[in-house]
Amino acid sequence: MSVLEIATPDDWHLHLRDGEALRYTVPATSRCFARAIVMPNLKPPVTTVADAAAYRERILAHLPEGHAFEPLMTLYLTDRTTPEEIDAAADSDFVHACKLYPAGATTNSASGVSRIENLYRVFERMEERDLPLLVHGEVTECGVDIFDREQVFIERHLIPVRDRFPALRIVLEHITTAEAVDFVLSSPANVGATITPQHLLYNRNDMLVGGIRPHLYCLPILKAQRHQGALREAAISGNAKFFLGTDSAPHERATKETACGCAGCYSAPFAIELYATIFDQLGALDRLEGFASQFGADFYRLPRNTGMIRLERAGNTIPASLPYAEDGTIVPLAAGQTLDWQLVTPQH
């Protein structure tokens, strides 16, 4: 196969940042994605419907002419989130989910939830109003090994939430372990998961063997090869519980290549080509459209996109760096590598 046409995909987990960053991140995503679930972990975080409305306008102000793109907004849950704010979100036509960050789990999560049980009244209202819960699934206790934090979170917190609120739609974001795959498969249809390109492409050996590669450092961190294999099997399985979410998270090169580098991989400029290359290598190109363009929309109860994009088989070398922010640069995921696919007809 030398040409691949699929329905226009969506990104169900995306960081656009704010301010000057939007000049770069919004065009990078809108070139091929029609919609994206936009993460709310700004400084300060997006905790109210009014915050989300203002952020949405700032995003749309940076949309290139001719690009048809809809940012799907989310609220950042804190210990102070109220059921009344959930009602306001559910009544809006632009807030599509709420995001749970355990306090200290990842970038800009200091305002996150200190004790998940504090939010049970909020989860109850989300279940009543059918507003999805998006979960960064890691515990943060220093006594838990970083490679075990997702598994412990599932056992300690997520299974009780799932069982206590059986009708609550839950997305376990950016899953990284075989245990996460098993949790999703063993849960009802209202529990799904997103999978990133970095967790399909790489494992912890790629990040650590022969020297530390800071641009592969993300949270949840890359895991062992057996976990990577489980994620690959899930992504290409055709199971509608698993769908595309890049977790594209831009950080300037200077903040990644430092004594204490930040977490996040920037995949947006080449996201669909990365996924196409992975699915092709796994012999599953025929299942890319479901994963990228159908299953997420179905889970969020939104119409599937009617437009199409076109990719061609061609050598596509990712640049070593890209411009970002004022006088800055950013290193994209898989920088310097040659992909097997090139987007030739973007969505408009």
Side-chain angles (χ1 to χ4, degrees):
M1 180 185 296
S2 59
V3 174
L4 177 65
E5 290 188 337
I6 63 172
T8 304
D10 301 303
D11 187 347
W12 299 102
H13 185 130
L14 175 68
H15 298 269
L16 290 172
R17 307 303 188 208
D18 205 357
E20 177 73 9
L22 296 175
R23 289 181 51 206
Y24 303 89
T25 59
V26 174
T29 286
S30 64
R31 65 187 276 273
C32 73
F33 292 112
R35 298 171 292 203
I37 287 282
V38 179
M39 292 296 104
N41 58 330
L42 305 182
K43 289 184 176 181
V46 178
T47 59
T48 68
V49 173
D51 292 339
Y55 184 29
R56 180 176 182 272
E57 291 305 311
R58 296 196 298 274
I59 293 168
L60 292 174
H62 290 84
L63 189 64
E65 184 177 354
H67 284 212
F69 173 72
E70 181 182 3
L72 308 175
M73 309 309 294
T74 62
L75 298 189
Y76 184 115
L77 296 175
T78 74
D79 291 334
R80 297 174 298 282
T81 302
T82 65
E84 290 72 25
E85 197 63 47
I86 298 305
D87 285 332
D91 290 339
S92 78
D93 59 1
F94 55 87
V95 176
H96 292 266
C98 294
K99 180 64 180 281
L100 169 62
Y101 290 102
T106 189
T107 303
N108 297 345
S109 63
S111 300
V113 177
S114 63
R115 187 170 180 269
I116 290 175
E117 291 79 1
N118 293 343
L119 286 181
Y120 275 7
R121 288 178 58 245
V122 168
F123 295 162
E124 182 178 25
R125 188 63 56 86
M126 291 175 65
E127 183 180 44
E128 291 172 358
R129 299 303 306 270
D130 195 28
L131 192 65
L133 172 67
L134 315 182
V135 180
H136 182 113
E138 291 189 285
V139 298
T140 58
E141 293 92 328
C142 61
V144 178
D145 189 286
I146 191 170
F147 294 106
D148 298 330
R149 290 182 174 185
E150 182 176 85
Q151 179 183 351
V152 172
F153 182 92
I154 292 169
E155 295 169 352
R156 189 180 296 173
H157 301 295
L158 199 51
I159 289 174
V161 169
R162 178 199 65 187
D163 294 347
R164 188 181 181 100
F165 305 98
L168 178 63
R169 279 187 286 159
I170 299 172
V171 179
L172 182 53
E173 301 280 23
H174 43 48
I175 58 172
T176 64
T177 60
E179 289 79 11
V181 172
D182 291 342
F183 165 78
V184 174
L185 290 174
S186 65
S187 296
N190 57 302
V191 177
T194 55
I195 307 179
T196 75
Q198 62 263 30
H199 291 105
L200 293 173
L201 277 169
Y202 305 109
N203 59 61
R204 65 192 185 189
N205 279 359
D206 298 303
M207 181 177 60
L208 297 172
V209 172
I212 296 174
R213 294 168 179 82
H215 297 286
L216 293 183
Y217 174 55
C218 58
L219 290 172
I221 199 165
L222 298 176
K223 302 298 195 300
Q225 189 173 16
R226 73 175 184 90
H227 295 296
Q228 180 191 20
L231 298 179
R232 288 180 167 187
E233 289 181 14
I236 67 171
S237 67
N239 189 316
K241 284 173 162 285
F242 303 101
F243 39 91
L244 186 156
T246 63
D247 192 23
S248 180
H251 294 280
E252 284 192 70
R253 183 173 198 153
T255 64
K256 292 287 286 182
E257 298 176 4
T258 184
C260 186
C262 51
C265 299
Y266 185 50
S267 58
F270 303 94
I272 197 61
E273 293 97 327
L274 286 163
Y275 281 110
T277 296
I278 296 162
F279 273 66
D280 191 12
Q281 291 172 352
L282 297 175
L285 269 178
D286 59 321
R287 296 187 175 178
L288 177 62
E289 185 173 48
F291 177 81
S293 312
Q294 298 173 349
F295 301 155
D298 295 346
F299 185 91
Y300 278 90
R301 298 176 184 164
L302 294 170
R304 295 179 176 181
N305 297 319
T306 56
M308 304 290 289
I309 63 167
R310 178 187 177 100
L311 299 105
E312 291 184 356
R313 187 182 296 280
N316 179 15
T317 301
I318 297 181
S321 65
L322 296 167
Y324 182 72
E326 187 174 356
D327 300 324
T329 61
I330 192 168
V331 177
L333 184 68
Q337 297 185 30
T338 300
L339 306 181
D340 299 331
W341 291 89
Q342 173 74 55
L343 179 68
V344 293
T345 306
Q347 73 95 15
H348 292 297

